[in-house]
Amino acid sequence: MAFTLAACQSQQASDGKRHDISPESPQMQQARTIAQKYLIADTHIDVPYRLEEAFEDVSAHTEHGDFDYPRAVDGGLNAPFMSIYTPAALEQSGGSKVLADKLIDMVEGMVKNAPDKFALAYSTRELEQNFVRGVMSFPLGMENGSPIEGDLANLKHFYDRGIRYITLTHSKANHISDSSYDSERPAGGLTDFGKTLVKEMNNLGVMVDVSHISDEAFYQVMAVSKAPVIASHSSARHFTPGFERNMDDDMIKALAKNGGVIQINFGSTFISQESIENYNAFKQARTAYMAANDLAQDSPEVEAFQEEYRKKLPFVFATLDDVLDHFDHVVNLSGIDHVGIGSDYDGVGDSLPQGLKDVSTYPNLIAGLLKRGYSEQDIVKILSGNLIRVWKQVEAYAASH
């Protein structure tokens, strides 16, 4: 879900919510040290598709977006998974595989043009070697399995190109799985091909990503997969009742029993019910205005309406503490070994929470965890340890089959 309202302004935390941590606090100073000392992996950064729409050189500071190299270094980010995203519409019109290959070409070009800063990472071993060398890893994840195009040979093709997780679907049902966002559920979960694909992903060493899929599909993945799976960018439905895109408590427990990990999405409408309700009210008002005036969404009149609406009713941003609540909830349900970071930077537009606006802000998250009593060892698991454990288990399963 992308927010394009540049006029949205952050609503300050003056409503009695908990305050941000002082930049000079002991927790923040310790957090900056931890961020630079340990490997930080974020399993969902939507840089490639952002650059496909409007290219910028992310090896230097960029005017737009949530990610560039200088900000990532400031935040301690070492392994941003580059999301190879293809829109759901291409499932019908064609071109998913072509676009996915083009985006992988782009990431390879970024590495080629700045080898002193970036490196590809096809394995946990390469990830850890790159960290020691002091270069930023670009592991690859595929958001939407549409580029597989019903052919297992394409799974091998993308594995060979570096794809190490696949989000089975996106906003619409595809030939692999039903989607949490789609009211149409033609497969009742996974398709027959989808079940075969999950098995082959296990055998090849590609992590199965259950973000975006329907609840029925999730439980079918749990039944089929012999290796731990990930939710690359999802949050806890406990705080957003009825929002199927997030995971409910039973799903989080099942994921943990499988050995997997949920990587928390930072988008305000994944984190805060208040943000969801605010955004839904805005969409309803915009739809009514468009219908009453027979206007398209991209018309100047609708743009003006949006700006005026947001002046009167600003978007409600989640807070850092709201995000931390999701981490706490998962830990309370399933322990420290099953949660990590899947921010969705560059994928949720202007909706990022206060204190977590771009890749320079991971120390804010760490400081919040410290303030809540997490040990340094626990935080290391959240930053990358849990994700690397799952990835290594997936590699080991593939090596034995």
Side-chain angles (χ1 to χ4, degrees), residues 330-394:
V330 175
V331 171
N332 289 336
L333 281 175
S334 58
I336 192 63
D337 296 320
H338 303 285
V339 67
I341 299 169
S343 65
D344 214 348
Y345 282 134
D346 278 336
V348 289
D350 300 329
S351 76
L352 290 159
Q354 301 164 28
L356 293 172
K357 292 296 187 184
D358 65 23
V359 292
S360 70
T361 60
Y362 297 101
N364 292 346
L365 180 73
I366 297 169
L369 292 167
L370 288 168
K371 189 175 181 182
R372 292 193 177 200
Y374 287 77
S375 69
E376 186 168 326
Q377 292 74 25
D378 287 343
I379 291 169
V380 172
K381 289 184 176 184
I382 290 171
L383 297 181
S384 65
N386 293 335
L387 182 277
I388 291 173
R389 170 188 56 79
V390 170
W391 191 357
K392 285 184 175 179
Q393 288 178 279
V394 170

Side-chain angles (χ1 to χ4, degrees), residues 212-229:
H212 280 286
I213 67 176
S214 69
D215 287 4
E216 295 86 354
F218 168 81
Y219 284 108
Q220 290 170 21
V221 168
M222 293 297 99
V224 171
S225 183
K226 303 300 183 186
V229 309

Side-chain angles (χ1 to χ4, degrees), residues 28 31-32 35-36 40 42 45 61 65-78 80 136 266 343 345 352-353 355-367:
M28 184 57 74
R32 291 193 189 102
Q36 298 300 325
I40 299 179
D42 187 326
I45 307 281
H61 180 73
D66 310 323
F67 172 94
D68 58 41
Y69 181 78
R71 285 182 285 171
V73 170
D74 284 348
L77 179 62
N78 310 105
M136 189 174 297
F266 292 173
S343 65
Y345 282 134
L352 290 159
L356 293 172
K357 292 296 187 184
D358 65 23
V359 292
S360 70
T361 60
Y362 297 101
N364 292 346
L365 180 73
I366 297 169

